[in-house]
């Protein structure tokens, strides 16, 4: 089968003829891969910043944002049948008995760091024609979401963030209107903005690019407000927005993030979802940040990967988004490309919001 691979030792990226996987356990299912989203993580792996092949393999098959069709199921798979659409979860639990999250099916909160992640760390990903995995990690997708189902995995980042915000804000009366600031207008930021709008927030999206642009158009279509860093610094942003109850960071930019943390409102929650690259240290007034967080009862929380509940919530919400903003959701996918176009997408400067490889 064809597979898009990276060889970290040789620092090469290639479209290879790889062995086609077969069922080896009755709980497994074989998938025909339909689409795989390209994200910043894939590009960083292809820049050889990280990425670990499975044991015994020189290369790693890329890709973790997937949509697939079930082709074959094992004898003990009762929740799936051939023809079903699925997305497959990314992280697999570590083997340590003492890791309670992994033993409880919440490997997204693994405490040992010895988890594996498909297409990232220790296990092949989804940029191949065929994939075999245990059916417990597959989540059914309604056929009506065929055109946008590949957006499920990036949306899970926002879904997990909202789950944590809800848990945190049980600490106080949390009723009425709330305002959210989204940092970044990439796929995760815009999907987060959609999730926040669907949850009833007044939403502002802060991005570097000046309007008008396609990202600003999507923002407007969902009833949110786009603000460009070319016209508003942090002081002007706070003046424009007023009380900020939630900041959802989706840039991986440390300086921007900690500058924005200074304008978070009382009792607010700041969610970090971006992973910064290995760049020089930044400078910021740590004392002022600490004073603000302590005196205003603020919370800083990180979120990474997602569990099954977040995948299921993402699928439900994508259906709701399509009912409210069908054009905006479709506009997030700005390009679909064959596997032969992998180099420009993974190591080039392909534009757009979300690019997808069709397998």
């Amino acid at each position: 089968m064809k597979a898009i691979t990276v060889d970290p030792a040789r620092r090469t990226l290639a479209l290879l003829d790889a062995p086609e996987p077969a069922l080896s356990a009755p709980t497994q299912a074989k998938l025909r891969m339909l689409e795989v989203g390209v994200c910043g993580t894939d590009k960083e792996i292809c820049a050889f910043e990280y990425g670990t092949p499975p044991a015994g393999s020189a290369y790693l098959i890329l890709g973790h944002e997937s949509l697939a069709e079930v082709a074959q199921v094992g004898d003990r798979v009762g929740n799936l049948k051939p023809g079903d659409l699925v997305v497959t979860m990314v992280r697999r639990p570590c083997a340590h008995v003492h890791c309670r999250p992994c033993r409880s099916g919440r490997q997204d909160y693994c405490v040992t760091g010895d988890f594996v992640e498909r297409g990232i760390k220790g296990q092949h990903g989804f940029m191949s024609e065929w994939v075999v995995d245990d059916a417990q990690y597959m989540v059914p997708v309604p056929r009506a979401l065929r055109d946008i189902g590949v957006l499920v995995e990036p949306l899970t980042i926002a879904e997990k963030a909202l789950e944590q915000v809800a848990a945190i804000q049980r600490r106080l009366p949390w009723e009425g209107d709330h305002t959210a600031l989204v940092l970044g207008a990439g796929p995760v930021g815009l999907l987060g903005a959609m999730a926040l709008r669907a949850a009833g927030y007044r939403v502002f999206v802060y991005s570097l690019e000046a309007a008008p642009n396609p990202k600003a158009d999507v923002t407007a279509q969902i009833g949110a407000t786009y603000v460009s860093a070319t016209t508003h610094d942090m002081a002007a942003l706070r003046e424009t927005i007023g009380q900020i109850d939630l900041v959802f960071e989706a840039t991986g930019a440390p300086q921007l993030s900690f500058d924005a943390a200074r304008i978070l409102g009382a009792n607010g929650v700041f969610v970090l979802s971006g992973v910064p690259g290995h760049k020089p240290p930044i400078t910021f007034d740590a004392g002022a940040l600490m004073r603000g967080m302590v005196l205003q009862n603020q919370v800083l929380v990180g979120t990474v990967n997602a569990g099954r509940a977040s995948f299921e919530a993402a699928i439900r919400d994508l259906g709701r988004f399509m009912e409210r903003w069908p054009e905006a959701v479709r506009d997030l996918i700005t390009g679909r490309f064959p596997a032969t176009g992998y180099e420009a997408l993974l190591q080039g400067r392909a534009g757009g919001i979300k690019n997808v490889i069709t397998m």
Side-chain angles (χ1 to χ4, degrees):
M1 67 172 182
K2 298 299 182 183
I4 301 171
T5 65
V6 62
D7 185 327
R10 296 183 179 181
R11 299 175 69 86
T12 57
L13 179 67
L15 179 62
L16 294 182
D17 231 348
E20 182 177 322
L23 299 184
S24 60
T27 57
Q28 291 180 337
K30 185 174 182 178
L31 306 178
R32 178 183 295 106
M33 299 309 300
L34 301 175
E35 296 186 333
V36 185
V38 176
C39 81
T41 296
D42 300 312
K43 294 180 180 181
E44 289 163 0
I45 292 172
C46 292
F48 313 107
E49 295 181 17
Y50 52 90
T52 307
S57 174
Y59 62 80
L60 171 70
I61 297 176
L62 291 160
H64 58 277
E65 299 179 1
S66 71
L67 177 68
E69 184 177 67
V70 177
Q72 183 183 2
V73 297
D75 294 340
R76 291 174 55 190
V77 176
N79 62 325
L80 297 173
K81 64 182 185 303
D84 286 349
L85 295 181
V86 297
V87 292
T88 304
M89 297 164 61
V90 180
R91 185 173 287 190
R92 302 293 177 269
C94 73
H96 299 285
V97 174
H98 67 273
C99 182
R100 295 182 65 183
C102 283
R103 302 289 73 77
S104 303
R106 291 309 305 263
Q107 56 268 20
D108 51 319
Y109 288 103
C110 177
V111 299
T112 70
D114 290 335
F115 54 82
V116 298
E117 291 178 321
R118 297 212 63 154
I120 303 172
K121 177 189 175 189
Q123 194 167 4
H124 288 314
F126 305 129
M127 284 188 190
S128 58
E129 294 178 291
W130 299 95
V131 164
V132 168
D133 207 340
D134 198 289
Q136 69 175 305
Y137 301 118
M138 299 173 186
V139 189
V141 176
R143 181 62 62 171
L145 300 182
R146 166 64 179 85
D147 290 344
I148 46 93
V150 73
L151 297 174
V152 167
E153 196 280 339
L155 177 55
T156 62
I157 299 170
E159 297 290 356
K160 182 176 177 180
L162 284 172
E163 173 189 301
Q164 293 183 77
V165 169
I168 292 166
Q169 296 299 51
R170 292 192 188 107
R171 62 189 176 148
L172 60 104
W174 186 243
E175 300 172 352
D177 297 329
H178 303 293
T179 298
L181 170 63
V182 176
L183 300 179
V188 172
L190 290 174
L191 285 166
M194 290 180 180
L196 289 162
R197 285 290 297 129
Y201 284 78
R202 186 173 68 119
V203 176
F204 292 80
V205 176
Y206 188 63
S207 181
L208 179 62
E209 297 175 61
N213 63 65
K215 298 172 182 179
D217 293 343
V218 170
T219 302
Q221 289 172 44
I222 66 172
T225 301
Y226 184 91
V227 183
S228 171
T230 62
T231 59
H232 288 66
D233 61 13
M234 285 297 154
L237 189 62
R238 177 61 187 268
E239 183 71 21
T240 298
I241 297 175
Q243 166 79 12
I244 300 173
D245 302 296
L246 170 64
V247 175
F248 178 64
E249 178 278 321
T251 64
Q255 189 71 62
L256 173 66
S257 299
F258 284 99
D259 287 346
R262 294 287 306 278
I263 65 172
L264 180 66
N267 305 316
V269 181
F270 193 112
V271 179
L272 291 166
S273 73
V275 180
H278 299 289
K279 297 179 181 179
I282 66 167
T283 58
F284 66 96
D285 189 341
L289 180 64
M290 288 179 66
R291 284 191 295 273
M293 296 193 73
V294 171
L295 297 176
Q296 298 187 82
N297 300 298
Q298 296 169 340
V299 176
L300 179 66
V301 61
T303 183
V304 67
N305 206 276
R308 188 178 189 90
S310 296
F311 275 81
E312 292 172 344
I315 292 166
R316 288 194 302 271
D317 273 351
L318 270 181
R320 294 170 182 154
F321 298 170
M322 285 297 287
E323 292 175 0
R324 294 182 64 176
W325 316 298
E327 185 178 348
V329 178
R330 292 192 179 98
D331 284 350
L332 292 177
I333 300 177
T334 47
R336 284 183 164 90
F337 301 85
T340 52
Y342 69 97
E343 287 181 283
L345 294 175
L346 292 165
Q347 290 185 318
R349 292 186 175 272
I353 300 175
K354 169 60 69 177
N355 289 312
V356 173
I357 292 177
T358 57
M359 299 305 303

